[in-house]
Amino acid sequence: MADPMKTTRGLPVALRASVLVFLLVAPVEAALGQDDLPAAEAAAMANVETTDGKQFAEALEKGFGREHGRTIQQCAKGSKRADLSDFDLFLRVDGTGVVDQALVMPTTTLATCVAGKLRGWKTSVPPHAGFWVQVEVILKSK
C-alpha cells in the first residue's frame, strides 16, 4: 500500500489527489448555474414542439402572469435602479410540478431576483420530469 505522505513534486500524494478531485468537481458545480442557459433554451424550444408541451407551456405562462405580477413589482421596488428591460425566464419543472431551477436572459438585477423567487413555485404537472419551459417577461408596452 502506498504511503499517503510520500511526496512527489513537493506535495504529499494524498494532497495531490484531493486537489485533483477538487479540480475535476469544480467545473461541474459551476455548470449548474447560468452556464446551462443554451441547453435550457434548446430543451424549452424542443418541448413546445409537442402538443402536450405546447399546452403545458401556455398554461404555465398564464399562471405565471396571474401569480407573479406582484413578485416582479416586489423585486423592482427592492432593487436600487432596477433595470426594467424585458427578459426571458427558463424554468425547469420537476415531475410533481415544482420549479426546481430558474435561469434568466439577460441577467439583470430584476430578472435574477424574480428567478430566485420562482424556485419552489408549484404549477401543474408537466408532460415529463425535468421539463424546461421559456417564459417571456415583457415589462413595458411597445
Side-chain angles (χ1 to χ4, degrees):
M1 183 165 171
D3 177 7
M5 295 310 292
K6 181 179 177 183
T7 61
T8 58
R9 296 188 190 166
L11 292 175
V13 173
L15 178 60
R16 288 188 60 213
S18 64
V19 170
L20 179 60
V21 169
F22 172 76
L23 292 174
L24 292 174
V25 172
V28 172
E29 290 174 3
L32 297 177
Q34 283 293 121
D35 295 340
D36 282 344
L37 193 57
E41 185 174 18
M45 290 176 67
N47 285 339
V48 295
E49 294 295 320
T50 68
T51 303
D52 289 345
K54 186 174 183 175
Q55 289 174 347
F56 176 79
E58 288 171 354
L60 185 135
E61 287 176 4
K62 287 179 186 172
F64 175 84
R66 277 191 315 272
E67 297 179 36
H68 291 291
R70 187 170 301 244
T71 302
I72 295 169
Q73 289 174 344
Q74 289 171 346
C75 285
K77 287 180 183 175
S79 62
K80 297 175 184 168
R81 296 182 171 211
D83 181 347
L84 299 179
S85 300
D86 299 342
F87 59 93
D88 290 317
L89 286 164
F90 295 91
L91 306 175
R92 187 176 67 190
V93 184
D94 71 14
T96 64
V98 175
V99 173
D100 64 3
Q101 189 172 7
L103 306 174
V104 293
M105 181 175 63
T107 54
T108 64
T109 304
L110 176 62
T112 302
C113 175
V114 172
K117 293 183 181 294
L118 289 177
R119 288 182 200 94
W121 175 42
K122 175 75 169 131
T123 185
S124 57
V125 175
H128 60 79
F131 190 92
W132 282 100
V133 63
Q134 178 179 2
V135 177
E136 293 178 310
V137 180
I138 301 171
L139 299 173
K140 49 192 176 275
S141 59
K142 306 260 179 194

